[in-house]
Amino acid sequence: MLARTPSAILPTMRRVTASPRTSSVSHSARAARCTRRTFATHVEDNFRIPIIDFSKYRDAATAAQKEETAQEVVRGFTDVGFIYLSNHGIPEETVKHTFQKSAEFFSMPIEKKAELAWRDPRANRGFVQVGRERVTQSANADEIRQLREKAPDYKESMEIGRDWDKTYKNYWPREVDAPGFKRSMLNFFQTCHELHVLVMRSIALGLRLEETFFDSKIHEQYHNLRLLSYPPIKTQLLRGEGTARAGAHSDYGTLTLLFQDSVGGLEVQNPRTGQFQPATPIPGTIVVNAGDLLARWSNDVLRSTLHRVVAPPAKAISETEGVTPARQSIAFFCNPNQGAEISCLPTCVVPGGNPKYPPVTTEDYIVGRLKATYM
């Protein structure tokens, strides 16, 4: 789903540019500029994913400083749909440790990982082997099946949800097979949820809502922690039509917190030109993007932007063949509460205007997308 030209009752917003408060990674795109009453669009020469110093929100000395950073966050999601967060509050040691435990899990024998296989889109938990998933914007199960057979996603993943859920349980490896894995992932899950709450508060403030507006709508932690491993692969297998490490798609929920290694491969679509451009890994930052439900909530004021993962440059092993390096990433898919109704926010439609989307519950939307993606 590509975000459309937004209209909303929001404060005056200026374009995000490189400055001591907000630096940026250059790309090319359209930016939306907001007047006091409505957004007006104009074409910019550069497509930019802003780098936002989130400590200026977390540790704001004044209400004005907090609001300024909140507006920077909203501008990033309005203009591009993606931001980089620096000084986000998650220690680098915590991120490194989680990557280490993820790598240890994926190094387990395939037989042991297969015992933890993903089974149910309502649960969305467990191990997903290479080729099982085919992410795409299509919601047609037959079309996705054909895409999967023709050009599967060359990655494996481990899906982890809230561990106290009474209906759906996580699949954990035995402690002897992956020492400390369960404890590390549960701690990281909680850490990411706490950052999600803060970012959603900044979005609420930037949209002229009460700062805690979303708190009661996300407290159930109906999230998904996805560990991702992209094994080395011969370039010949990536030459097929439509083939990618992960196909072009938008995410389903409110936000995605993406932790990248140094290999890279994430590309974001310029909403104006349709071209995909790299979201280069920047040490110490988290890539954060808006998902479909946040776009629906905001009446497309905030963009749910298409993105994909492509193979990094390969190492030659013959005159005609190469091998790509392995890649790791960790995605925390933030969602509203399971039964939350997602309907147009009051500040995101002009007086007398109509919402673009009918109300939908979190579970209905996400389970519907997962069924089509995996089945």
Side-chain angles (χ1 to χ4, degrees):
M1 179 185 66
L2 280 173
R4 299 162 177 81
T5 304
S7 296
I9 307 169
L10 293 173
T12 302
M13 292 184 178
R14 51 183 171 75
R15 176 173 170 262
V16 179
T17 55
S19 70
R21 289 188 175 88
T22 307
S23 56
S24 59
V25 174
S26 181
H27 302 291
S28 62
R30 175 180 66 190
R33 181 175 289 164
C34 178
T35 67
R36 177 161 291 278
R37 300 299 294 177
T38 61
F39 279 101
T41 60
H42 65 287
V43 175
E44 297 289 351
D45 293 330
N46 294 317
F47 181 55
R48 300 177 181 274
I49 301 179
I51 304 173
I52 297 174
D53 181 354
F54 201 56
S55 68
K56 294 183 181 298
Y57 179 85
R58 294 189 303 111
D59 306 323
T62 65
Q65 187 180 60
K66 177 175 278 193
E67 172 136 351
E68 181 179 11
T69 307
Q71 290 189 19
E72 290 174 355
V73 170
V74 166
R75 280 197 301 274
F77 291 135
T78 297
D79 295 351
V80 183
F82 275 73
I83 62 176
Y84 291 95
L85 278 190
S86 65
N87 298 316
H88 42 73
I90 301 180
E92 184 64 23
E93 295 76 14
T94 299
V95 177
K96 288 181 178 178
H97 175 77
T98 308
F99 267 100
Q100 177 187 338
K101 291 302 176 183
S102 176
E104 291 173 3
F105 171 82
F106 288 114
S107 69
M108 290 169 49
I110 186 60
E111 295 80 9
K112 291 187 179 295
K113 291 184 288 187
E115 293 174 357
L116 310 172
W118 187 100
R119 297 176 177 88
D120 187 337
R122 294 168 299 176
N124 194 26
R125 288 161 164 81
F127 172 69
V128 180
Q129 65 184 15
V130 172
R132 173 72 190 278
E133 183 183 25
R134 181 51 163 94
V135 290
T136 173
Q137 283 307 94
S138 174
N140 184 289
D142 289 336
E143 181 180 344
I144 294 173
R145 176 181 53 78
Q146 293 173 18
L147 283 170
R148 187 187 300 114
E149 292 172 354
K150 181 180 180 180
D153 289 346
Y154 283 96
K155 67 178 187 298
E156 56 183 347
S157 67
M158 181 61 175
E159 316 289 334
I160 300 166
R162 54 188 183 184
D163 204 47
W164 63 87
D165 195 298
K166 295 180 179 179
T167 305
Y168 303 110
K169 303 299 182 184
N170 285 314
Y171 302 136
W172 297 110
R174 293 183 301 170
E175 183 68 15
V176 66
D177 294 328
F181 177 80
K182 177 178 179 180
R183 181 179 65 255
S184 298
M185 295 309 154
L186 290 180
N187 289 341
F188 195 66
F189 188 102
Q190 186 63 37
T191 296
C192 289
H193 169 71
E194 291 168 2
L195 178 57
H196 171 229
V197 171
L198 289 180
V199 178
M200 291 299 289
R201 286 179 180 175
S202 72
I203 291 171
L205 197 60
L207 292 177
R208 288 295 191 244
L209 299 164
E210 289 293 329
E211 188 175 8
T212 58
F213 176 87
F214 292 110
D215 282 17
S216 63
K217 300 168 181 61
I218 60 175
H219 71 284
E220 293 177 1
Q221 302 190 28
Y222 188 63
H223 311 313
N224 174 236
L225 173 60
R226 172 178 290 185
L227 312 178
L228 287 149
S229 172
Y230 299 83
I233 185 173
K234 291 184 177 180
T235 54
Q236 181 179 0
L237 296 174
L238 292 171
R239 291 175 187 149
E241 180 183 352
T243 302
R245 283 291 185 91
H249 63 286
S250 60
D251 294 338
Y252 307 154
T254 51
L255 300 172
T256 300
L257 312 180
L258 180 67
F259 303 81
Q260 302 189 80
D261 66 9
S262 61
V263 173
L266 175 66
E267 293 187 341
V268 176
Q269 188 181 57
N270 180 325
R272 180 171 63 87
T273 67
Q275 295 180 329
F276 284 88
Q277 300 175 54
T280 307
I282 301 176
T285 68
I286 303 171
V287 175
V288 185
N289 64 279
D292 294 348
L293 287 178
L294 187 56
R296 290 176 71 111
W297 231 339
S298 69
N299 213 32
D300 281 343
V301 169
L302 309 180
R303 294 180 182 272
S304 180
T305 301
L306 286 176
H307 52 283
R308 67 186 184 187
V309 178
V310 299
K315 178 181 180 181
I317 57 174
S318 72
E319 292 183 358
T320 59
E321 185 60 280
V323 175
T324 67
R327 176 181 184 262
Q328 273 188 279
S329 66
I330 298 171
F332 188 76
F333 296 104
C334 309
N335 298 315
N337 294 343
Q338 184 173 3
E341 182 181 271
I342 309 304
S343 57
C344 183
L345 297 169
T347 58
C348 291
V349 61
V350 295
N354 295 314
K356 294 181 178 181
Y357 306 102
V360 67
T361 67
T362 302
E363 182 177 33
D364 286 347
Y365 184 82
I366 291 178
V367 172
R369 292 293 302 272
L370 288 170
K371 282 182 178 179
T373 298
Y374 284 98
M375 297 306 187

